[in-house]
Amino acid sequence: MKKTTLFLALVLGSVILLSSCSTTYKMNLGDASADQGATVNFSSGFMVKKWNNIDIYDDLYGDWQVWWESNKTRLTVPSGNNSFTFDVNFSINRGNSITTYKYNNIELQYNLLPGRKYSIETSAKMRSFLGTGVQLSIGIYDVTNGKELLKEWKLRDDS
């Protein structure tokens, strides 16, 4: 019985500790409601700086130290044409080392539909067995009912 209690305490403590490592920064822009606007989730690795050329970085992240790899951003925006400017990190595990590629001030524009949920994610693919070529891209997905790739922007292709 004591072993079971100790095990449960360790599991609960681990869950609490690990859940505090990841934060989702949320912001409602342009007085958009969830049903009339669109929800856009940025996966980890993104630092959103501007929306429609309006600087939102300080209001979104405040004085928090934002960690690239574990934090996510969720924006609710009016439907229609939207642009987002961000920095993005790609991390590729190459066996015994990790290579990081950083791109600054990337702008993505897309026409978002009302009531839809979107996800903006990175994709990193090795182009050869030896890991000498890499393909880096950013994709926007409609995740309202499943996951459908809508558009992909290639940032690097060492084919």
Side-chain angles (χ1 to χ4, degrees):
M1 183 67 177
K2 288 182 181 182
K3 287 182 182 180
T4 304
T5 305
L6 177 62
F7 176 74
L8 288 174
L10 286 173
V11 169
L12 181 61
S14 297
V15 168
I16 291 170
L17 179 65
L18 292 175
S19 68
S20 66
C21 293
S22 178
T23 301
T24 300
Y25 295 92
K26 301 174 186 176
M27 188 174 211
N28 187 328
L29 298 161
D31 296 325
S33 65
D35 58 336
Q36 294 300 312
T39 302
V40 182
N41 292 301
F42 289 83
S43 66
S44 59
F46 287 90
M47 298 285 284
V48 182
K49 297 161 84 176
K50 294 182 181 181
W51 166 72
N52 290 344
N53 271 342
I54 300 169
D55 188 344
I56 62 170
Y57 183 88
D58 289 337
D59 290 335
L60 182 59
Y61 301 113
D63 293 333
W64 291 96
Q65 173 66 40
V66 181
W67 299 100
W68 286 90
E69 298 305 320
S70 61
N71 294 306
K72 299 175 182 177
T73 302
R74 178 178 300 143
L75 302 176
T76 303
V77 299
S79 59
N81 288 322
N82 283 269
S83 77
F84 306 95
T85 303
F86 48 82
D87 296 345
V88 63
N89 267 359
F90 293 84
S91 294
I92 300 174
N93 187 343
R94 296 180 184 239
N96 60 352
S97 68
I98 294 177
T99 303
T100 301
Y101 299 90
K102 183 176 179 178
Y103 291 87
N104 294 321
N105 298 316
I106 301 298
E107 184 179 6
L108 177 149
Q109 296 180 356
Y110 202 78
N111 186 24
L112 304 173
L113 299 175
R116 306 298 287 187
K117 295 179 183 176
Y118 299 91
S119 178
I120 297 177
E121 304 175 12
T122 60
S123 173
K125 298 175 186 170
M126 302 300 280
R127 302 302 285 172
S128 72
F129 177 72
L130 298 174
T132 55
V134 125
Q135 182 185 60
L136 305 175
S137 58
I138 296 169
I140 185 166
Y141 298 83
D142 185 331
V143 293
T144 308
N145 298 311
K147 186 174 182 181
E148 175 188 357
L149 177 63
L150 301 173
K151 186 170 181 178
E152 185 175 59
W153 294 266
K154 285 191 174 110
L155 298 179
R156 178 180 182 149
D157 193 351
D158 299 341
S159 304

